[in-house]
Structure formats: C-alpha cells, structure tokens
Amino acid sequence: MDVVVQRVRTSWTKASRGGAGAAARNAAPTVFPLPLGLKSGLHEVVMQESDAFRPKMSEQDLSDPGLVLREVDGLLRVHPPETTIFSMPRRNRRPPAVRLAPGQWLQWQINYRFVGTRGGPWSYRLDTFNISYSLASPEVFLGTPPTRSVDERGFLR
C-alpha cells in the first residue's frame, strides 16, 4: 500500500491557553516535510509545551497509525482517528470514513481535553493526520491544499 501518514501531535496545559503561550502554540505547524527516502509509513511529529513546541520526529511502519486504513476497489478508505473515553469533548457522532483516490491527500484534525488524575490539572492535545495515497515526495503536504479535510475540533473550555 503506497500510503504515508504524518501524525502531528501538539500537547499543552493551561499555561498555553492564552497570551504568549497561546501564540507559541498557535504558531506550531500542522504539516511538515517528510524525511528524505520515506515513501510509505508513519511520520510522527510531537510538539509539547514543555519543549517550547519544538518538533521531535520519528518514523515507523503503518502498524499503528492511530486510524484504520483500508484499500477497497482502488481507493483508500480512511476511518476516523481513534479516540479515548478519558477525553472531552464527547464525540457521540463521528464523521464517516473518507475515500481517497491515488494521488490525493487528506487532513483530519481532532482535539482533546484530559482531566488529571484525582482532579488534577487539565491538559490538551491537537492531533492532525495528514494522509497521502501515493508514493510521497518530501513536499507532498506542503505544496497544495489537501484534497479532503475533516475538522473534528471541538470546544475544549
């Protein structure tokens, strides 16, 4: 399967909900160039408030990209990203799977709020999945807007 998933995960606390912290968080990119030589697989980018939102990157196979991918009748079927019962907002209705033709790419965004153990501080996360159904070049997500977009970002309080 000629698929590249770029999972960009941005995490923060209440300190980055407003002011200079929010400006730094909002300046964090949601797309990156792919590593040279990566034609298929998972490119994971993690940015955390504790590291001033500096990106840390890794490459993996597609065994656990955080969503289900299936090739059906020449199209790539992308099911919604996995969620956890420990996060808010509740998502009782999820969007349907998205189908991509070869050469197309999808951006799917979803955010979360987590409550700390025993009533501890809240934390927040934005996951952006950039999915290309092709042998990808390093610039695949940078040149043109996504063919399809799904925005599941909700109000986090």
Side-chain angles (χ1 to χ4, degrees), residues 37-107:
L38 180 67
K39 299 296 183 194
S40 182
L42 172 65
H43 177 227
E44 183 160 39
V45 182
V46 176
M47 295 177 289
Q48 299 176 338
E49 175 188 87
S50 59
D51 293 326
F53 300 104
R54 280 188 294 280
K56 294 183 179 173
M57 302 183 192
S58 64
E59 296 174 44
Q60 303 167 32
D61 61 24
L62 283 173
S63 61
D64 185 21
L67 40 74
V68 175
L69 306 168
R70 290 205 169 88
E71 283 183 307
V72 178
D73 298 327
L75 299 175
L76 179 67
R77 186 177 173 127
V78 181
H79 294 262
E82 300 162 355
T83 60
T84 172
I85 62 170
F86 302 107
S87 68
M88 296 296 284
R90 297 277 184 250
R91 290 177 169 87
N92 299 323
R93 304 183 108 204
R94 302 289 310 277
V98 173
R99 291 176 181 82
L100 296 177
Q104 295 182 330
W105 76 278
L106 161 72
Q107 184 175 73

Side-chain angles (χ1 to χ4, degrees), residues 3 15 24 33 37 96-97 101 108 140:
V3 176
W108 198 311
V140 67

Side-chain angles (χ1 to χ4, degrees), residues 7-11 44-47 125-129:
R7 181 172 58 202
V8 180
R9 180 164 284 170
T10 307
S11 303
E44 183 160 39
V45 182
V46 176
M47 295 177 289
R125 189 173 86 204
L126 170 65
D127 288 346
T128 302
F129 293 86

Side-chain angles (χ1 to χ4, degrees), residues 127-138:
D127 288 346
T128 302
F129 293 86
N130 301 309
I131 301 129
S132 174
Y133 188 35
S134 65
L135 286 173
S137 70

